[in-house]
Amino acid sequence: MRKNYFFLLVIVCGLVFVSPTVLFAKVMDTRDIELRTESDTDNELRSLLPVRAWIDNRIVYVSFFELPAEATVSVLDTNGRLIDECYIQSPEVISIPVKEREGIFEIVIKCGSNIYIGSFELK
């Protein structure tokens, strides 16, 4: 009988302390995409651009600090082929899934007369 209580206690402790971390663990794969202006010839980073881009798993997100009237976000592969393109009016956050593809990609964000370019890799 004592063995049964001990065995039950071990199972309960295992479920209480180990199970939540196993069940609710999430692997974070968030990386920022380094953006530059198209006219940036000296390759120096600007302190603050009005747009931010990042990758979370296989989804590219674009966020605007100053909401533009219109924006175009394009994702291209290394050969310049268009993977996906979004035309948005007054967006806050844009998400573009890049599924079933691997390699180096380029993101082009056009806001009015400003163009921002960045590259990222998916494995």
Side-chain angles (χ1 to χ4, degrees), residues 68-81:
E70 293 182 356
T72 303
V73 179
S74 307
V75 177
L76 309 158
D77 65 7
T78 53
N79 297 325
R81 286 179 286 178

Side-chain angles (χ1 to χ4, degrees), residues 2-119:
R2 251 182 144 168
K3 264 187 169 176
N4 290 340
Y5 285 128
F6 178 74
F7 185 67
L8 183 63
L9 180 67
V10 169
I11 290 174
V12 169
C13 287
L15 290 174
V16 169
F17 295 109
V18 176
S19 180
T21 57
V22 172
L23 293 177
F24 299 112
K26 180 183 176 191
V27 177
M28 297 299 289
D29 187 26
T30 303
R31 296 170 287 156
D32 279 335
I33 298 173
E34 194 175 282
L35 295 174
R36 300 178 187 284
T37 59
E38 185 183 47
S39 61
D40 188 13
T41 56
D42 55 5
N43 277 344
E44 285 188 21
L45 290 175
R46 303 287 181 237
S47 59
L48 184 62
L49 294 175
V51 64
R52 176 181 176 241
W54 70 96
I55 308 166
D56 188 3
N57 291 323
R58 302 190 73 75
I59 300 175
V60 176
Y61 292 95
V62 178
S63 174
F64 297 91
F65 299 119
E66 301 169 6
L67 296 178
E70 293 182 356
T72 303
V73 179
S74 307
V75 177
L76 309 158
D77 65 7
T78 53
N79 297 325
R81 286 179 286 178
L82 186 66
I83 303 299
D84 201 352
E85 187 169 51
C86 295
Y87 300 101
I88 289 105
Q89 293 182 333
S90 298
E92 290 182 19
V93 176
I94 300 167
S95 61
I96 302 173
V98 184
K99 306 264 184 201
E100 302 174 10
R101 299 204 183 246
E102 293 183 352
I104 298 174
F105 298 91
E106 184 176 75
I107 186 168
V108 178
I109 304 166
K110 297 177 185 174
C111 305
S113 62
N114 299 324
I115 299 175
Y116 305 100
I117 300 172
S119 62

